[in-house]
Amino acid sequence: GAVVSQHPSRVICKSGTSVKIECRSLDFQATTMFWYRQFPKQSLMLMATSNEGSKATYEQGVEKDKFLINHASLTLSTLTVTSAHPEDSSFYICSASNGITRDTQYFGPGTRLTVL
Amino acid sequence: AQSVTQLDSQVPVFEEAPVELRCNYSSSVSVYLFWYVQYPNQGLQLLLKYLSGSTLVESINGFEAEFNKSQTSFHLRKPSVHISDTAEYFCAVTVPLNAGGTSYGKLTFGQGTILTVHP
């Protein structure tokens, strides 16, 4: 149980285009979802926290107009990187927690974004 | 704010040897502590966690970690490692959001430790 999927697993795009990454909780309702970014040989850095049906809370230094997060249902959150640039190339990871075992986050496998 | 330091970026060991992955944290309030494991090309998986109660917590695959409040540490240990334990291990900390401790704030991760088990 508690499986989280991400799609796509890898994406390559041209500079200036927008990319959408999906995060789904497959067997539980995710009241809260988190989006992280991981640079090579570095740790995960939280970008934003989203609760179903409300606006995401962004961490300091994260541009909310560039990284659009939507959490429209209890099983799906999306991260859209708008007008992507090479410096946005990174590994993006989502996690989800439910209303019962809220002390544990379940992580997706991540999405490797490469912006040319 | 909280911070986590994993003192070793890489730990090579031979199969069946014991291993300790070190984790120290900094926080002005009580915390919850976690160890996550990331196998190659996979997402993070929860290995074990300390929320309250016994300071020694165990995982199903033989790892254990001990919460030491005085030393602000949560080191991960295994008495005998296997090749399949090769992975990157992340220590993480969070703060309970409410007095009941059933919800929590954001996770702050350490830098990760790559454990490589050699035959």
Side-chain angles (χ1 to χ4, degrees):
Chain A
V3 177
V4 176
S5 69
Q6 276 185 246
H7 178 79
S9 57
R10 294 175 182 268
V11 58
I12 301 173
C13 69
K14 292 182 179 180
S15 185
T17 60
S18 294
V19 174
K20 180 184 283 188
I21 302 170
E22 292 186 348
C23 176
R24 293 181 185 273
S25 58
L26 299 184
D27 50 3
F28 67 100
Q29 293 185 326
T31 52
T32 305
M33 285 186 166
F34 304 83
W35 285 96
Y36 295 85
R37 186 172 179 178
Q38 185 179 27
F39 290 104
K41 300 188 185 301
Q42 294 188 32
S43 187
L44 284 76
M45 298 296 294
L46 181 66
M47 299 175 64
T49 303
S50 73
N51 292 296
E52 185 266 339
S54 60
K55 290 185 178 180
T57 302
Y58 290 81
E59 294 300 300
Q60 192 172 9
V62 178
E63 300 175 59
K64 58 183 178 182
D65 293 331
K66 181 168 185 62
F67 298 99
L68 302 178
I69 292 172
N70 183 282
H71 190 170
S73 78
L74 285 172
T75 59
L76 174 64
S77 176
T78 60
L79 168 67
T80 301
V81 183
T82 63
S83 186
H85 293 284
E87 57 266 29
D88 298 324
S89 298
S90 190
F91 195 51
Y92 292 87
I93 303 171
C94 74
S95 71
S97 64
N98 63 29
I100 300 175
T101 57
R102 293 172 66 188
D103 58 352
T104 301
Q105 291 183 30
Y106 301 96
F107 285 80
T111 297
R112 174 75 60 193
L113 170 63
T114 303
V115 184
L116 303 176
Chain B
Q2 294 72 45
S3 66
V4 179
T5 302
Q6 290 181 243
L7 298 168
D8 306 297
S9 59
Q10 297 194 51
V11 174
V13 294
F14 287 107
E15 195 173 19
E16 298 183 3
V19 71
E20 178 180 80
L21 307 183
R22 296 179 291 171
C23 172
N24 287 89
Y25 70 93
S26 173
S27 176
S28 58
V29 298
S30 296
V31 296
Y32 291 159
L33 293 153
F34 304 81
W35 275 99
Y36 283 87
V37 58
Q38 186 175 31
Y39 297 103
N41 302 314
Q42 295 185 30
L44 274 74
Q45 300 174 33
L46 179 66
L47 190 60
L48 46 74
K49 61 186 177 185
Y50 170 77
L51 304 181
S52 64
S54 173
T55 57
L56 184 66
V57 291
E58 298 177 354
S59 73
I60 59 174
N61 57 352
F63 282 94
E64 64 178 30
E66 185 161 20
F67 169 56
N68 188 319
K69 188 175 182 179
S70 63
Q71 297 189 6
T72 61
S73 68
F74 191 55
H75 301 330
L76 182 70
R77 303 183 181 95
K78 188 170 185 179
S80 176
V81 295
H82 301 289
I83 298 286
S84 58
D85 293 324
T86 294
E88 187 161 17
Y89 292 79
F90 291 94
C91 181
V93 63
T94 192
V95 174
L97 283 179
N98 59 28
T102 57
S103 63
Y104 67 103
K106 65 178 184 178
L107 281 171
T108 300
F109 285 88
Q111 299 89 334
T113 298
I114 297 174
L115 172 65
T116 305
V117 181
H118 298 283

